[in-house]
Amino acid sequence: MKINKDYLNLSENYLFSEIASRVKKYGAEHPDKEIIRLGIGDVTKPIAEPIMAALKSAVDEMGKKETFRGYAPDRGYEFLRKAISDIDYKKRGCDIEPDEIFVSDGAKSDCGNIQEIFDKDNVVAVTDPVYPVYADTNVMAGRKIIYMPCTKENGFIPEIPKKKADIIYLCFPNNPTGTVIKKDQLQKFIDYAQTNDSVIIYDAAYEAYITEEGIPHSIYECEGAKEVAIELHSFSKNAGFTGLRLGYAVVPKALKREGVSLNALWARRHATKYNGAPYIVQRAGEAVYSEAGMKAVMTQVREYMENATLIRTKLSDMGYEVFGGVNAPYIWMKVPKEMSGWDFFDLLLDKANVVGTPGEGFGKCGAGYFRLTAFGDKNDTQRAMERIKGI
Ligand code: PLP
């Protein structure tokens, strides 16, 4: 037996494991200290009441002979795919049909798995800094990766790849920089993909956090996107499903390469390797699109964004240079000149007992930056800002 040696090309520590181990060590050495975590992008608000009601009612259905459900349909239940098609797409003028939507257990699995339908020899372009999953899953598959730098100078919007990229991962609103892309900037990527026969994987996990007008919520708002793009969504960050697990991928029927429909390829992969998100979770997902559900979800998002505003303004007042946090729950800050992101991580942990994420963990261009998240409790976020002010 031989192992997959491509795994040996991965960097040794997964970013959040390294953070967790440093925090654990600090906690063990300083048991009296109360640590505030603004590091990992997990939500803290419980699932909203109308969504819980749907979840509980679905749980009851599972315990009765007449309403019990077994395996879900391959692509997910029609009731959920129809709600997604109507509300996330048709209401925004994007013509995405339910049979172009594949329900899954979240965007992480989808962005990790989608590359399976592409040849190993494809060149993959990812941003730097990047949500590590795009790069790592392609390293595991032995693909060549090229990086598109996102810096203060280019407003954290990548330039069109100079070398030929067959697969391009984009994420807006962006994790980790918290920036968004305008429609004309996104259109350039679509035009590039049309010319070069590339495919864009567009991760829209933070779409619900867009507050400003004129920012695209979906790549399909751009012309020609259905012929070049796959879009990924998550219920984690808008509706708090990080523990429940639910997401979806859109693979348009118009997206074909070498005469083959990618929708058909993904359908084949999905049917072979996946048995569907649980019925009860899909019912909870359906409730996210009910009137009461949407209202509750929007309230939670608004509350998180109040934290984002607080972090952004307080840090600016302290003299830090900050980015993001307007259309995204992430604040990307420049650390003091002589420090690295990891130095700043250790300083913040030690002096303020606040945990953030060093920019280096997201790539070379993240060096000297630090990410804070707005997903904490309001009171904790306020206290964290007071503590940072005190160092
Ligand atoms: N995509 C991005 C950009 C993320 O930041 C995250 C989680 O932090 C995910 C996907 C994962 O989403 P899910 O919980 O649906 O797997």
Side-chain angles (χ1 to χ4, degrees), residues 202-223:
Y202 193 75
D203 185 343
Y206 297 95
E207 167 273 314
Y209 288 83
I210 296 173
T211 54
E212 292 180 317
E213 293 289 317
I215 306 290
H217 285 248
S218 161
I219 195 166
Y220 304 117
E221 289 176 41
C222 294
E223 215 170 299

Side-chain angles (χ1 to χ4, degrees), residues 71-84:
Y71 290 122
D74 284 349
R75 294 175 191 225
Y77 283 99
E78 175 80 17
F79 60 76
L80 178 56
R81 288 184 295 117
K82 171 99 177 49
I84 293 167

Side-chain angles (χ1 to χ4, degrees), residues 41 105-109 111 131 134 171 175 203 205-206 233-237 241-242 245-247 330:
D105 64 351
K108 186 179 194 172
S109 328
C111 63
Y131 174 57
Y134 314 144
C171 169
N175 176 16
D203 185 343
Y206 297 95
H233 271 252
S234 168
F235 286 70
S236 288
K237 310 303 165 94
F241 279 38
T242 50
R245 309 304 308 141
L246 193 65
Y330 294 117

Side-chain angles (χ1 to χ4, degrees), residues 335-346 358-360 366-370:
V335 303
K337 250 199 186 106
E338 65 287 359
M339 301 183 95
S340 71
W342 281 109
D343 290 340
F344 193 68
F345 173 90
D346 290 332
E360 283 83 348
Y369 284 90
F370 199 73

